[in-house]
Amino acid sequence: MRGVIFDGKQTQVADDLEIRDVGPGEVLVAISAAGLCHSDLSVVDGTIPFPVPVVLGHEGAGVVEAVGAGVTHVRPGDHVSLSTLANCGACAECDRGRPTMCRKAIGRPGQPFTRDGRPVYQFASNSAFAERTLVKAVQAVRIPEDIPLSSAALIGCGVLTGVGAVLNRARVDHGDSVVVIGTGGIGLNVIQGARIAGASTIVAVDANPAKEAAARQFGATHFLTSTEGVRDILPTGANHAFECVGRVELIRQAIDLLDRHGQAVLLGVPPATAEASFLVSSMYLDKSILGCRYGSSRPQRDIALYAQLYREGRLLLDELVTATYPVEDFEKAKADAEAGRVARGVLMF
């Protein structure tokens, strides 16, 4: 079968990938569509260290082909959106409703694939850039069949991360003010999360002025090409500032833009050794700096919720898909994503 493999030096679309049989508690999914996220690009450029060779992709949707023993919530033929959280469901963090903190869901890559008889790693417990993938049952969330799979694919990362950061981590309230730095796939979902939450002022900041139309479509009330004008709109600062790029100087700007009791939420992924600075004295008015993993999401609950919001017309998905590519055109999709020409490109199988 076909899949996009990174061997530590280059990516290639292979057609001789194999996958093992489904085991207990697992689901075999035929991937229909997979979004190309910057986290995939970060593996390629070394920002996210990961063992190789690896099948990339972690934002996918498809159709269940087979289920292992003990799996009852999905069955063959179901449409599913996939999460990256292979959480155990039984530890203290899972029991508290914090699956993103489950230690079994972090840093334990499996090897369900082989190529030429040699094992190949799975990225983010998902590897959606393959015609078929194996996931834990908890990662497969059934969705209505009337949601296009090219759009449903984006729920499993971009929507969970961006909208989840607003609703689950920051808990933005009605009338709050929000600044969003970076309006790529994650930033646009933060913007629409803020809109759904009832924020009154949503300031989108992106160096590319061509992104204004999309930012406003998703809910931005203002658009700036730098943070310099934010204080003209919010003289006392923002209740919430989301950094969605992963640059330490922008993290500092997000912190500096906070009002009293404000919080900066970090969503961008800088290099693993990156360090950021801030004025300690500026934090004593109850300001907070919050890390956020995967939107602090509970995928079985949140994916179903976002699918319902989409069907009600309250959450945009189709508009996120700015380009689709056959998997053979992965290099073009990668180049478009790196150049910022697309909010989200989707590979189609």
Side-chain angles (χ1 to χ4, degrees):
M1 67 178 186
R2 293 172 298 168
V4 179
I5 297 176
F6 175 60
D7 64 6
K9 296 181 180 179
Q10 63 181 3
T11 56
Q12 62 173 306
V13 180
D15 59 7
D16 56 352
L17 195 63
E18 296 183 355
I19 192 167
R20 64 170 173 79
D21 292 336
V22 63
E26 294 180 333
V27 179
L28 177 66
V29 179
I31 297 294
S32 297
L36 177 54
C37 173
H38 276 277
S39 293
D40 300 304
L41 301 180
S42 293
V43 173
V44 176
D45 68 21
T47 301
I48 297 178
F50 206 87
V52 293
V54 57
V55 178
L56 296 173
H58 64 286
E59 188 180 68
V63 181
V64 174
E65 279 203 352
V67 301
V71 178
T72 59
H73 74 290
V74 293
R75 60 186 181 183
D78 283 346
H79 287 205
V80 291
S81 177
L82 302 181
S83 87
T84 68
L85 284 183
N87 58 294
C88 71
C91 69
E93 297 296 345
C94 287
D95 195 48
R96 292 187 183 104
R98 298 196 298 235
T100 56
M101 296 297 102
C102 175
R103 284 171 170 78
K104 292 189 177 180
I106 301 174
R108 298 190 179 192
Q111 294 176 306
F113 304 101
T114 56
R115 188 182 184 207
D116 295 328
R118 291 172 291 195
V120 178
Y121 284 100
Q122 184 175 41
F123 179 53
S125 303
N126 190 305
S127 287
F129 292 171
E131 288 186 283
R132 291 172 181 79
T133 193
L134 274 172
V135 297
K136 290 185 64 173
V138 71
Q139 296 177 255
V141 184
R142 186 155 52 94
I143 56 173
E145 293 186 10
D146 59 356
I147 300 180
L149 288 170
S150 57
S151 298
L154 305 186
I155 300 177
C157 177
V159 177
L160 279 180
T161 299
V163 178
V166 173
L167 302 183
N168 300 330
R169 187 66 169 129
R171 297 186 182 274
V172 172
D173 202 357
H174 287 274
D176 282 355
S177 58
V178 173
V179 174
V180 182
I181 301 175
T183 61
I186 298 300
L188 288 176
N189 279 298
V190 172
I191 290 169
Q192 72 169 332
R195 170 179 53 77
I196 292 167
S200 60
T201 304
I202 305 171
V203 183
V205 180
D206 199 292
N208 184 354
K211 293 187 176 183
E212 179 174 0
R216 290 189 179 276
Q217 180 183 25
F218 277 74
T221 59
H222 302 75
F223 183 90
L224 300 171
T225 54
S226 78
T227 59
E228 292 180 2
V230 171
R231 290 283 181 175
D232 295 331
I233 302 166
L234 300 170
T236 63
N239 300 128
H240 312 273
F242 296 82
E243 200 282 340
C244 306
V245 180
R247 288 168 49 187
V248 294
E249 66 271 24
L250 297 179
I251 291 173
R252 172 61 183 267
Q253 291 173 28
I255 296 168
D256 289 346
L257 287 171
L258 296 178
D259 196 356
R260 299 181 179 198
H261 200 68
Q263 49 189 16
V265 183
L266 311 185
L267 295 175
V269 183
T273 57
E275 297 183 0
S277 65
F278 61 92
L279 290 174
V280 176
S281 60
S282 72
M283 303 301 294
Y284 290 116
L285 291 172
D286 286 1
K287 299 179 184 180
S288 304
I289 303 170
L290 304 179
C292 183
R293 180 171 190 258
Y294 203 41
S296 302
S297 60
R298 292 169 287 174
Q300 287 289 335
R301 169 190 178 274
D302 290 350
I303 289 176
L305 170 63
Y306 300 153
Q308 182 60 34
L309 291 176
Y310 166 80
R311 297 177 85 196
E312 294 173 359
R314 298 171 60 194
L315 183 137
L316 305 181
L317 287 179
D318 303 338
E319 296 80 358
L320 284 167
V321 183
T322 46
T324 59
Y325 309 82
V327 67
E328 291 79 10
D329 287 347
F330 173 77
E331 289 301 326
K332 183 179 187 316
K334 177 173 171 287
D336 286 348
E338 290 173 332
R341 289 189 287 267
V342 294
R344 226 17 158 231
V346 176
L347 298 181
M348 304 297 296
F349 287 88

